[in-house]
Amino acid sequence: MKPNVAAAKAALSHLDIEKSPSAIRAKSRDFFWYSPVLKARLDHVEADFVVAPRDEAEVIEVLATCYAHDVPVTTRGAGTGNYGQAMPLAGGCVMHLQNMNRVRDVQPGRVICEPGILLKDLDAHCRAHSGQEIRMFSSTWATATIGGFVAGGSGGVGSCTWGSLRDLGNIIRLRVVTMEETPRVLEFRGEELARVSHAYGTNGIITEIEMPLAPAYDWVELFVAFDDFAPAMDYAEGLGNEDGILLKLATVFEAPIAHDYFQRVRPHVAEGQSLVALMVAPQSMDGLLTFTARTPGARIVYRSDASDWEKAPGRIFEYTWNHTTLRALKVDPSITYLQVRYGFPDHKALVERIRAQFSPEVLQHLEVLRENGKAMFAGLSLVKFTTEDRLDEIVRAHEDAGAMIFNPHRYTLEEGGRQSVDDRQLAFKREADPKGLLNPGKMIAWDDPDWSYERMYAYPGLRAAE
Amino acid sequence: MKPNVAAAKAALSHLDIEKSPSAIRAKSRDFFWYSPVLKARLDHVEADFVVAPRDEAEVIEVLATCYAHDVPVTTRGAGTGNYGQAMPLAGGCVMHLQNMNRVRDVQPGRVICEPGILLKDLDAHCRAHSGQEIRMFSSTWATATIGGFVAGGSGGVGSCTWGSLRDLGNIIRLRVVTMEETPRVLEFRGEELARVSHAYGTNGIITEIEMPLAPAYDWVELFVAFDDFAPAMDYAEGLGNEDGILLKLATVFEAPIAHDYFQRVRPHVAEGQSLVALMVAPQSMDGLLTFTARTPGARIVYRSDASDWEKAPGRIFEYTWNHTTLRALKVDPSITYLQVRYGFPDHKALVERIRAQFSPEVLQHLEVLRENGKAMFAGLSLVKFTTEDRLDEIVRAHEDAGAMIFNPHRYTLEEGGRQSVDDRQLAFKREADPKGLLNPGKMIAWDDPDWSYERMYAYPGLRAAE
Ligand SMILES: Cc1cc2nc3c(=O)[nH]c(=O)nc-3n(C[C@H](O)[C@H](O)[C@H](O)COP(=O)(O)OP(=O)(O)OC[C@H]3O[C@@H](n4cnc5c(N)ncnc54)[C@H](O)[C@@H]3O)c2cc1C
Ligand SMILES: Cc1cc2nc3c(=O)[nH]c(=O)nc-3n(C[C@H](O)[C@H](O)[C@H](O)COP(=O)(O)OP(=O)(O)OC[C@H]3O[C@@H](n4cnc5c(N)ncnc54)[C@H](O)[C@@H]3O)c2cc1C
């Protein structure tokens, strides 16, 4: 089963094949380097060739050809993932979906599109055609694709209202091509969606997506400053519980994140101030202002609809979710991060416990998220990185305290998730990718069903650095 | 301060004055007769005259004239309230707002209209002009006005998502005319809204309303049957907690409500079956079906988008909220009801406790409602009425168990609410209605600040039956 890369590449040479070596290298990488752990392991990873199918028929051709020649295929949306999800650990083919960016249909409450469209272009299309937008998006809205979001993301801006991508109703339908001698085209809905959503393209390639839509309002973006962290957290959570105030975003930044890492915000907040970022529907602004006036110490420092800042901060969501990490990294390259679930009803107590133990080595960055109908927090904590051992120690302390960690310093589905295989994904991989050629090395259960998770998994097929 | 009704009526004779005595009687009544307690006390109540202003200027004229002649004014939307709210206890003038039914402006997320428009006409307008509808409506959508809903209602269809009318953001702005020598016109937003919303028109007349809007989907209406009550309750609550499934309604009916009182549903459910009524956005139907398939024993007996019923049930929301009581009353005139708050997180245990104690004398009818961000239940329990004493006993047993009662057998704001005055409403009444002429007898704190709530309040100014 040795891959015959040259034969596959030759057979696909009539397609849109990337010629430039530097582009091949760039298209083999994602934002894995946010993690010093992944950076140490994946920096050399590179595909043998990159092909960009123009439609589903060409996807089928790529998959069938690579199947015939035993060549691994790693699918790429825009490569903005953080865990090396889109990186071809065993080399072979990167299938880049940039050409598959058509919108097929927009209806009240739903859109059908190809996977390679950028989130921002999808939103622009839906807004122009129907005054609608997608319910939620990763903060990489401007650069990421909807297919990558569905296959590699979890939620984001909008999740304070709609929950996560995996929640029932947040994806309607996926059309999927398998990697077999003769690839099959399948349509998944309902319970079947879990087979391939957030499966990193390890068991099928999504060629069409039907997503629910919500109204596209001219969201008002705000920063609200607080002298202390706890009232900032209470305020954001309280807003998340106001059923009549329509939010798209509610984020908490522990001091001094805003002051130290948000350049344009810095003149407007003191070092000791914690900050809340919000996106609020215009019709909910009166409610928001009333709620804010009820909150002692809340000070609105920025309103996008009435700003006097000399330098506008840009879109506020680009301070939130994993953009917070990005901004911190730019100022202090020793910063990395953790992904934490602070579950209802202990979320606030848990945050305070972790804070007492680790601040300022770990600074709290919280996203209000709905889970099972309750507002709670997704933490994307900023961590001052020293050593891998210390990072592991911090992870363990979170877990001991009862905060679940989705470790962003791992490249496998299991380690970045709940440390166990998703049986539906594994079962579907057996059916849809019998040779195990799709994005190899990302599903431990496929490679090593008895893996114990005691240490970081190291994919044996990881191609060595040259 | 003896009212000079004749002088006021004469001074207003150029306006739209009701001439027919039977119409005057009809327009002096509401749905108070759902309560045997109120029926025994208010059946004779009648206005001296009914006037229907055409615009705000005429409202001002009515109020100034009645003020000058010390004539009480009770405002009427459509008179579908259940507590005698719109009934002129002391006689005088009923000011009927049927002529003030214009929509002034529809924008993304909001509408501005006059108070006398029917909810259904408001929705039809918003849908036709913008694909939108109001967030929530009383189940009297077809017959009630938006002004009456804001001044006398609490919530309804839509509250499983958006919470109650009183929640921040569910009313944007109210324009209010005071009852003074020279009436003032005021604009209320934010914190000020609580002065006049749900104040029964006791302290100001609403002449313009700005409400938030949501998208108008072609809601799919469903009935889902269960052999037992508890799984039906779990299912409805579970759906209320599915953040990605957009609901407008989730109602639970304990057996045998559906079988005994819902004529068209009866052929499709057994006597022992509990029923759930739903309104689900079309784009959420896959999610709904998936959730339902996960629920052992859930059987969809009706889907409005794929019905094989010989006789269609009509709009499903007209089985819910207080329409449940109406349907039961039609079959069994001895039925009355209670309004219960089953608060999170004990809501399900509380329901089961009350059920164990009182079923079938009290049958559970639950509406999933969001309160402070949590799905819980508003109960509009059906009660087999025997005596007032027994009804009071049942009320006390609920309160002792920890379930708050909003007593629908009382005509005052306080007794129908939390048994205490709303200070903001009282303070504003002092300002806006110095003579106490607006809807007299409905605010105990105005008449008798030291009232102890030990027994039912009896307004001393209630005009005696002739
Ligand atoms: C600054 C920053 C902020 C971020 N914020 C968020 C956030 O808020 N929420 C969030 O969820 N993520 C976030 N991420 C991660 C990432 O940006 C998002 O998940 C993004 O939506 C991924 O889209 P992409 O097109 O870049 O996908 P890629 O990185 O190209 O792919 C992601 C995964 O999906 C697979 N894949 C892509 N397309 C397909 C397809 N058609 N069929 C099958 N598999 C496919 C890839 O193989 C890969 O495993 C952030 C990353 C950065 C760098
Ligand atoms: C079968 C049935 C089902 C119902 N379901 C619900 C439900 O789901 N939710 C709910 O909340 N209620 C419900 N109700 C009660 C009632 O129908 C609603 O509250 C309805 O919205 C009232 O509207 P209306 O126009 O009939 O108001 P009215 O009964 O005319 O008035 C209600 C109160 O508001 C005052 N008022 C009216 N207009 C103004 C104004 N412009 N300015 C100041 N005061 C004013 C009146 O004086 C009165 O005190 C139900 C009633 C019935 C009979």
Side-chain angles (χ1 to χ4, degrees):
Chain A
M1 237 190 63
K2 204 179 159 310
N4 189 341
V5 170
K9 192 176 166 187
L12 296 171
S13 61
H14 60 291
L15 301 186
D16 179 1
I17 297 236
E18 182 57 63
K19 303 247 157 49
S20 140
S22 67
I24 293 174
R25 177 155 167 79
K27 288 176 180 176
S28 301
R29 298 161 70 80
D30 63 13
F31 285 72
F32 72 105
W33 52 266
Y34 276 32
S35 160
V37 178
L38 297 181
K39 186 155 171 55
R41 285 158 178 82
L42 305 184
D43 204 34
H44 65 286
V45 165
E46 197 170 319
D48 293 304
F49 66 96
V50 176
V51 59
R54 290 181 195 84
D55 54 28
E56 187 183 87
E58 291 192 0
V59 168
I60 291 171
E61 189 178 348
V62 171
L63 295 179
T65 305
C66 288
Y67 180 93
H69 299 290
D70 300 318
V71 172
V73 174
T74 300
T75 304
R76 182 181 185 82
T80 68
N82 294 105
Y83 327 130
Q85 295 117 297
M87 294 175 71
L89 303 190
C93 169
V94 159
M95 182 166 67
H96 193 175
L97 299 184
Q98 63 192 2
N99 293 328
M100 292 180 62
N101 58 5
R102 280 155 289 229
V103 178
R104 295 206 193 287
D105 192 26
V106 186
Q107 294 292 331
R110 60 179 93 208
V111 61
I112 300 174
C113 65
E114 290 185 330
I117 188 169
L118 297 186
L119 297 168
K120 99 166 174 293
D121 293 337
L122 179 58
D123 263 357
H125 184 101
C126 293
R127 184 182 273 260
H129 284 71
S130 69
Q132 299 181 97
E133 63 186 24
I134 48 176
R135 286 179 170 180
M136 68 188 72
F137 55 79
S138 57
S139 62
T140 44
W141 178 79
T143 52
T145 68
I146 183 73
F149 186 43
V150 164
S154 55
V157 184
S159 290
C160 58
T161 295
W162 296 103
S164 300
L165 269 177
R166 71 167 165 275
D167 290 327
L168 287 179
N170 283 332
I171 302 170
I172 297 176
R173 184 177 57 83
L174 296 174
R175 191 174 160 94
V176 174
V177 178
T178 64
M179 182 143 195
E180 300 171 274
E181 186 174 349
T182 308
R184 286 173 295 155
V185 180
L186 305 169
E187 297 267 353
F188 291 158
R189 292 177 172 273
E191 218 65 88
E192 299 160 336
L193 293 168
R195 295 178 182 170
V196 291
S197 60
H198 204 82
Y200 294 179
T202 54
N203 58 11
I205 307 310
I206 300 164
T207 54
E208 190 176 276
I209 300 180
E210 184 169 344
M211 294 293 275
L213 295 177
Y217 296 115
D218 293 327
W219 301 96
V220 180
E221 307 189 334
L222 299 102
F223 282 124
V224 187
F226 294 82
D227 286 339
D228 293 298
F229 175 78
M233 176 168 69
D234 290 345
Y235 172 82
E237 190 221 27
L239 269 176
N241 281 323
E242 284 292 329
D243 303 300
I245 298 181
L246 184 57
L247 296 182
K248 184 112 181 174
L249 181 73
T251 311
V252 187
F253 309 104
E254 182 178 352
I257 293 176
H259 182 269
D260 283 3
Y261 304 133
F262 300 169
Q263 212 192 319
R264 298 217 171 163
V265 179
R266 188 187 177 100
H268 308 278
V269 292
E271 197 177 348
Q273 287 189 314
S274 290
L275 197 70
V276 171
L278 300 171
M279 286 172 68
V280 183
Q283 66 269 28
S284 293
M285 276 302 289
D286 277 328
L288 184 279
L289 295 175
T290 308
F291 184 87
T292 306
R294 285 181 188 172
T295 310
R299 188 171 59 89
I300 296 177
V301 294
Y302 173 74
R303 269 180 77 155
S304 60
D305 61 346
S307 169
D308 55 358
W309 286 21
E310 208 170 296
K311 288 196 172 169
R315 294 303 303 267
I316 216 164
F317 63 78
E318 291 181 347
Y319 291 79
T320 70
W321 291 85
N322 222 6
H323 270 79
T324 312
T325 317
L326 176 62
R327 288 184 190 263
L329 263 175
K330 279 191 186 162
V331 176
D332 177 354
S334 77
I335 294 286
T336 189
Y337 71 119
L338 281 179
Q339 295 177 159
V340 193
R341 176 186 171 277
Y342 298 107
F344 181 88
D346 303 317
H347 47 303
K348 291 201 289 187
L350 211 47
V351 168
E352 287 295 13
R353 209 170 317 147
I354 300 289
R355 240 188 111 225
Q357 206 174 342
F358 288 112
S359 182
E361 182 183 6
V362 178
L363 288 176
Q364 294 300 315
H365 155 210
L366 306 174
E367 298 291 343
V368 175
L369 175 72
R370 283 213 162 248
E371 191 183 84
N372 192 26
K374 317 293 181 300
M376 38 76 76
F377 299 124
L380 290 93
S381 318
L382 296 184
V383 181
K384 186 96 187 163
F385 181 74
T386 46
T387 64
E388 290 194 15
D389 284 347
R390 176 61 182 162
L391 190 58
D392 288 343
E393 206 172 293
I394 295 173
V395 168
R396 270 195 309 277
H398 278 75
E399 290 170 343
D400 291 346
M404 192 184 288
I405 293 281
F406 301 96
N407 197 331
H409 304 285
R410 302 293 184 265
Y411 54 76
T412 63
L413 277 165
E414 290 95 334
E415 292 166 304
R418 293 177 183 238
Q419 305 227 337
S420 66
V421 66
D422 185 318
D423 287 324
R424 300 162 297 187
Q425 296 186 343
L426 177 61
F428 184 61
K429 187 170 174 73
R430 291 213 179 92
E431 258 187 59
D433 180 25
K435 286 189 177 176
L437 292 170
L438 286 177
N439 206 356
K442 304 296 169 58
M443 193 192 275
I444 299 180
W446 178 264
D447 298 328
D448 187 348
D450 299 321
W451 181 257
S452 70
Y453 299 102
E454 268 152 29
R455 56 178 202 283
M456 180 175 176
Y457 180 71
Y459 172 50
L462 178 64
R463 194 189 273 184
E466 272 159 31
Chain B
M1 237 189 63
K2 205 177 159 312
N4 188 342
V5 169
K9 192 176 165 188
L12 297 171
S13 61
H14 59 292
L15 300 186
D16 179 1
I17 297 239
E18 183 58 63
K19 303 247 155 49
S20 141
S22 66
I24 292 174
R25 176 155 168 79
K27 289 176 180 175
S28 302
R29 296 161 70 80
D30 63 14
F31 284 74
F32 72 105
W33 52 266
Y34 277 32
S35 161
V37 178
L38 297 181
K39 185 155 170 54
R41 285 160 178 80
L42 304 185
D43 204 33
H44 64 286
V45 165
E46 198 170 318
D48 293 303
F49 68 98
V50 176
V51 59
R54 291 181 196 85
D55 54 28
E56 186 182 271
E58 292 191 0
V59 168
I60 291 172
E61 189 178 347
V62 171
L63 295 178
T65 305
C66 289
Y67 181 92
H69 299 290
D70 300 319
V71 173
V73 175
T74 300
T75 304
R76 182 180 185 84
T80 68
N82 294 104
Y83 327 130
Q85 295 116 297
M87 294 176 69
L89 303 190
C93 168
V94 159
M95 182 166 67
H96 193 176
L97 299 184
Q98 63 192 1
N99 293 328
M100 291 179 63
N101 59 4
R102 280 155 288 228
V103 178
R104 295 206 193 286
D105 192 25
V106 186
Q107 293 292 331
R110 60 179 94 207
V111 61
I112 300 173
C113 65
E114 290 185 331
I117 188 169
L118 297 185
L119 296 168
K120 100 167 172 299
D121 294 337
L122 180 58
D123 263 359
H125 184 102
C126 292
R127 185 182 273 261
H129 283 72
S130 69
Q132 299 182 98
E133 64 186 23
I134 48 176
R135 286 178 171 180
M136 69 188 72
F137 55 80
S138 57
S139 62
T140 44
W141 178 78
T143 53
T145 68
I146 183 74
F149 186 45
V150 165
S154 55
V157 184
S159 290
C160 58
T161 296
W162 295 104
S164 300
L165 269 176
R166 73 169 162 273
D167 290 327
L168 287 179
N170 283 332
I171 302 171
I172 297 176
R173 184 178 56 84
L174 297 173
R175 191 173 159 95
V176 174
V177 178
T178 64
M179 180 141 195
E180 300 172 273
E181 186 174 350
T182 308
R184 285 173 294 154
V185 181
L186 305 170
E187 298 266 353
F188 291 157
R189 294 176 171 272
E191 219 64 87
E192 298 159 337
L193 294 167
R195 296 179 181 169
V196 293
S197 59
H198 203 80
Y200 293 0
T202 54
N203 58 11
I205 308 309
I206 300 164
T207 54
E208 190 176 277
I209 299 179
E210 185 169 343
M211 294 292 275
L213 295 176
Y217 296 115
D218 293 328
W219 301 97
V220 180
E221 307 189 335
L222 300 102
F223 282 124
V224 186
F226 293 82
D227 286 339
D228 292 299
F229 175 79
M233 176 168 69
D234 289 345
Y235 172 82
E237 190 222 24
L239 269 176
N241 281 324
E242 284 291 332
D243 303 299
I245 298 182
L246 183 58
L247 296 182
K248 184 109 180 177
L249 182 73
T251 311
V252 187
F253 309 104
E254 181 178 354
I257 293 175
H259 182 269
D260 284 1
Y261 304 133
F262 299 169
Q263 214 192 319
R264 299 215 169 164
V265 179
R266 188 187 176 99
H268 308 277
V269 292
E271 196 177 348
Q273 287 189 315
S274 290
L275 197 70
V276 171
L278 300 172
M279 287 172 68
V280 182
Q283 66 270 29
S284 293
M285 277 302 288
D286 277 327
L288 183 277
L289 295 174
T290 309
F291 185 87
T292 305
R294 285 181 189 173
T295 310
R299 188 171 59 88
I300 295 178
V301 294
Y302 173 74
R303 266 181 79 155
S304 61
D305 60 345
S307 169
D308 55 359
W309 286 20
E310 208 170 297
K311 288 195 171 168
R315 294 304 302 269
I316 216 164
F317 64 78
E318 290 180 348
Y319 291 79
T320 70
W321 290 86
N322 221 7
H323 270 78
T324 313
T325 317
L326 176 62
R327 289 183 189 265
L329 262 175
K330 278 190 185 162
V331 176
D332 178 353
S334 77
I335 295 285
T336 189
Y337 72 118
L338 281 179
Q339 296 178 158
V340 193
R341 175 185 172 277
Y342 299 107
F344 181 88
D346 304 315
H347 47 302
K348 292 201 288 188
L350 211 46
V351 168
E352 288 295 15
R353 211 172 313 148
I354 299 289
R355 240 187 111 224
Q357 205 174 341
F358 289 112
S359 181
E361 183 183 5
V362 178
L363 288 176
Q364 294 301 315
H365 155 210
L366 306 174
E367 298 290 343
V368 175
L369 175 72
R370 283 212 162 250
E371 191 184 84
N372 193 26
K374 317 293 181 302
M376 38 76 76
F377 299 125
L380 290 92
S381 318
L382 296 183
V383 181
K384 185 96 186 163
F385 181 73
T386 46
T387 65
E388 290 195 14
D389 284 347
R390 176 60 182 162
L391 191 59
D392 288 344
E393 206 171 294
I394 295 172
V395 167
R396 270 195 309 277
H398 277 75
E399 289 171 343
D400 291 347
M404 193 184 286
I405 293 281
F406 300 96
N407 197 330
H409 305 285
R410 300 292 183 267
Y411 54 76
T412 61
L413 276 164
E414 289 95 336
E415 292 165 304
R418 293 176 182 237
Q419 305 227 337
S420 66
V421 66
D422 185 318
D423 287 322
R424 298 163 297 188
Q425 296 186 344
L426 177 60
F428 184 61
K429 187 169 173 74
R430 292 214 179 91
E431 258 186 58
D433 180 26
K435 286 190 177 174
L437 292 170
L438 286 176
N439 206 356
K442 305 296 169 56
M443 193 192 275
I444 300 179
W446 179 265
D447 297 329
D448 187 348
D450 299 321
W451 182 255
S452 71
Y453 300 101
E454 268 153 27
R455 57 177 201 284
M456 180 174 175
Y457 180 70
Y459 172 50
L462 179 64
R463 195 189 273 186
E466 274 158 28

